[in-house]
Amino acid sequence: SFRHHRTSQTVHCPSCDRKYCFSCKSVPQAPAQCDDVKRWQGIFGSSSFWLKKNSKQCPSCSIPIEKSGGCNHIHCQGCGANWCWICLQFLRSHMEAHVCNRFEASSNGGLENEDRSVFFTERYYAHDDSEEAAKEKLLFAQQHQRAIEESLWHVNDNHVRSFLFAFPRLVQARSFLKYSYIAAWGQGGKAAHDFQNQQAILETVTEKLTQLTMSLLDEVSSRKGDVDSTSAFPLIVFFSDIVDECMDRMRNVSWPD
């Protein structure tokens, strides 16, 4: 039998453990609607629209930076500047909370449509890249699960399970966030205020969860003895719960007519 999620079009097949959209049979696209995804693909998939996705200049010293991880907070090894990969705004520290999910129309009305397209596609592809990085870390964690559990023998079992489950949760959150920008784009500037608020919170806590999880994974992978950063585990549980809550709230937001 198939289980249909009440708040989305996502169907889960228990036989093959595959999830897909009930309407279009594609991968789950929540919180975007199928029609919005089709319009998005038609415009940005076949046009000459192009983004330099993998390399940007540091806004402080202008050296080229290649993004190799899932986190969108960048620390320049050349000058030490911290900045946002998406909007290039400077940050005080790598862990600083940062929000840049709202499109503000410029005074140059003639370029507004182009600016809006760039705004949403940059954020879509940033989360798409981060999703791929999260999948790589998930695969690594799955392949080395036994070694990870042995390294964390002294940690509460519930915390270890939460740490391991943080990897598929990050994949889900990044996918949800990238499609949330299609959902907001499809509304043509009428995105619900509550939706944007929850989107901003989800981005912030997903970045925090990414930083904590990847730092802890690096420590587990590089050490042969016990892991010292046991204080990170309660935070991973905390941010994981907020990620789930934000996605649930965004699924249930009422869009304006």
Side-chain angles (χ1 to χ4, degrees), residues 23-34:
S23 295
C24 66
K25 307 301 185 292
S26 182
V27 296
Q29 301 158 151
Q33 299 295 314
C34 299

PDB file of all heavy atoms in Angstrom, residues 23-34:
ATOM      1  N   SER A  23       1.343  13.818  -8.112  1.00  0.00           N
ATOM      2  CA  SER A  23       0.746  14.482  -9.270  1.00  0.00           C
ATOM      3  C   SER A  23       1.560  14.311 -10.546  1.00  0.00           C
ATOM      4  O   SER A  23       1.028  13.957 -11.598  1.00  0.00           O
ATOM      5  CB  SER A  23       0.556  15.975  -8.991  1.00  0.00           C
ATOM      6  OG  SER A  23      -0.376  16.170  -7.953  1.00  0.00           O
ATOM      7  N   CYS A  24       2.879  14.564 -10.465  1.00  0.00           N
ATOM      8  CA  CYS A  24       3.704  14.561 -11.680  1.00  0.00           C
ATOM      9  C   CYS A  24       4.698  13.412 -11.729  1.00  0.00           C
ATOM     10  O   CYS A  24       5.442  13.282 -12.702  1.00  0.00           O
ATOM     11  CB  CYS A  24       4.441  15.893 -11.818  1.00  0.00           C
ATOM     12  SG  CYS A  24       5.676  16.167 -10.526  1.00  0.00           S
ATOM     13  N   LYS A  25       4.722  12.581 -10.684  1.00  0.00           N
ATOM     14  CA  LYS A  25       5.591  11.390 -10.606  1.00  0.00           C
ATOM     15  C   LYS A  25       7.075  11.735 -10.599  1.00  0.00           C
ATOM     16  O   LYS A  25       7.916  10.876 -10.824  1.00  0.00           O
ATOM     17  CB  LYS A  25       5.289  10.427 -11.769  1.00  0.00           C
ATOM     18  CG  LYS A  25       3.821  10.044 -11.889  1.00  0.00           C
ATOM     19  CD  LYS A  25       3.281   9.368 -10.657  1.00  0.00           C
ATOM     20  CE  LYS A  25       1.845   8.891 -10.832  1.00  0.00           C
ATOM     21  NZ  LYS A  25       0.881   9.981 -10.952  1.00  0.00           N
ATOM     22  N   SER A  26       7.410  13.004 -10.353  1.00  0.00           N
ATOM     23  CA  SER A  26       8.803  13.412 -10.265  1.00  0.00           C
ATOM     24  C   SER A  26       9.263  13.320  -8.814  1.00  0.00           C
ATOM     25  O   SER A  26       8.534  12.826  -7.953  1.00  0.00           O
ATOM     26  CB  SER A  26       8.950  14.842 -10.789  1.00  0.00           C
ATOM     27  OG  SER A  26      10.289  15.248 -10.768  1.00  0.00           O
ATOM     28  N   VAL A  27      10.485  13.795  -8.535  1.00  0.00           N
ATOM     29  CA  VAL A  27      10.974  13.797  -7.161  1.00  0.00           C
ATOM     30  C   VAL A  27      10.110  14.734  -6.325  1.00  0.00           C
ATOM     31  O   VAL A  27       9.470  15.649  -6.872  1.00  0.00           O
ATOM     32  CB  VAL A  27      12.449  14.246  -7.107  1.00  0.00           C
ATOM     33  CG1 VAL A  27      13.325  13.263  -7.842  1.00  0.00           C
ATOM     34  CG2 VAL A  27      12.603  15.656  -7.694  1.00  0.00           C
ATOM     35  N   PRO A  28      10.045  14.547  -5.005  1.00  0.00           N
ATOM     36  CA  PRO A  28       9.263  15.460  -4.160  1.00  0.00           C
ATOM     37  C   PRO A  28       9.712  16.906  -4.350  1.00  0.00           C
ATOM     38  O   PRO A  28      10.915  17.192  -4.405  1.00  0.00           O
ATOM     39  CB  PRO A  28       9.557  14.950  -2.744  1.00  0.00           C
ATOM     40  CG  PRO A  28       9.882  13.517  -2.919  1.00  0.00           C
ATOM     41  CD  PRO A  28      10.631  13.441  -4.221  1.00  0.00           C
ATOM     42  N   GLN A  29       8.739  17.818  -4.454  1.00  0.00           N
ATOM     43  CA  GLN A  29       9.041  19.210  -4.767  1.00  0.00           C
ATOM     44  C   GLN A  29       8.482  20.168  -3.731  1.00  0.00           C
ATOM     45  O   GLN A  29       8.436  21.370  -3.967  1.00  0.00           O
ATOM     46  CB  GLN A  29       8.478  19.552  -6.150  1.00  0.00           C
ATOM     47  CG  GLN A  29       9.046  18.669  -7.243  1.00  0.00           C
ATOM     48  CD  GLN A  29       8.176  18.588  -8.479  1.00  0.00           C
ATOM     49  OE1 GLN A  29       8.677  18.386  -9.563  1.00  0.00           O
ATOM     50  NE2 GLN A  29       6.875  18.723  -8.320  1.00  0.00           N
ATOM     51  N   ALA A  30       8.032  19.632  -2.598  1.00  0.00           N
ATOM     52  CA  ALA A  30       7.465  20.483  -1.552  1.00  0.00           C
ATOM     53  C   ALA A  30       8.499  21.509  -1.090  1.00  0.00           C
ATOM     54  O   ALA A  30       9.692  21.201  -1.018  1.00  0.00           O
ATOM     55  CB  ALA A  30       7.032  19.624  -0.363  1.00  0.00           C
ATOM     56  N   PRO A  31       8.038  22.759  -0.841  1.00  0.00           N
ATOM     57  CA  PRO A  31       6.651  23.223  -0.804  1.00  0.00           C
ATOM     58  C   PRO A  31       6.165  23.824  -2.120  1.00  0.00           C
ATOM     59  O   PRO A  31       5.133  24.471  -2.162  1.00  0.00           O
ATOM     60  CB  PRO A  31       6.708  24.294   0.281  1.00  0.00           C
ATOM     61  CG  PRO A  31       8.069  24.908   0.091  1.00  0.00           C
ATOM     62  CD  PRO A  31       8.968  23.766  -0.302  1.00  0.00           C
ATOM     63  N   ALA A  32       6.899  23.648  -3.215  1.00  0.00           N
ATOM     64  CA  ALA A  32       6.478  24.188  -4.516  1.00  0.00           C
ATOM     65  C   ALA A  32       5.374  23.327  -5.116  1.00  0.00           C
ATOM     66  O   ALA A  32       5.251  22.143  -4.809  1.00  0.00           O
ATOM     67  CB  ALA A  32       7.668  24.248  -5.468  1.00  0.00           C
ATOM     68  N   GLN A  33       4.573  23.924  -5.995  1.00  0.00           N
ATOM     69  CA  GLN A  33       3.543  23.212  -6.727  1.00  0.00           C
ATOM     70  C   GLN A  33       4.108  22.736  -8.067  1.00  0.00           C
ATOM     71  O   GLN A  33       5.030  23.328  -8.616  1.00  0.00           O
ATOM     72  CB  GLN A  33       2.333  24.133  -6.975  1.00  0.00           C
ATOM     73  CG  GLN A  33       1.671  24.629  -5.700  1.00  0.00           C
ATOM     74  CD  GLN A  33       1.043  23.499  -4.910  1.00  0.00           C
ATOM     75  OE1 GLN A  33       0.358  22.647  -5.459  1.00  0.00           O
ATOM     76  NE2 GLN A  33       1.280  23.491  -3.599  1.00  0.00           N
ATOM     77  N   CYS A  34       3.530  21.668  -8.588  1.00  0.00           N
ATOM     78  CA  CYS A  34       4.023  21.084  -9.837  1.00  0.00           C
ATOM     79  C   CYS A  34       4.034  22.105 -10.980  1.00  0.00           C
ATOM     80  O   CYS A  34       4.984  22.162 -11.763  1.00  0.00           O
ATOM     81  CB  CYS A  34       3.173  19.880 -10.230  1.00  0.00           C
ATOM     82  SG  CYS A  34       3.190  18.542  -9.028  1.00  0.00           S
TER      83      CYS A  34
END
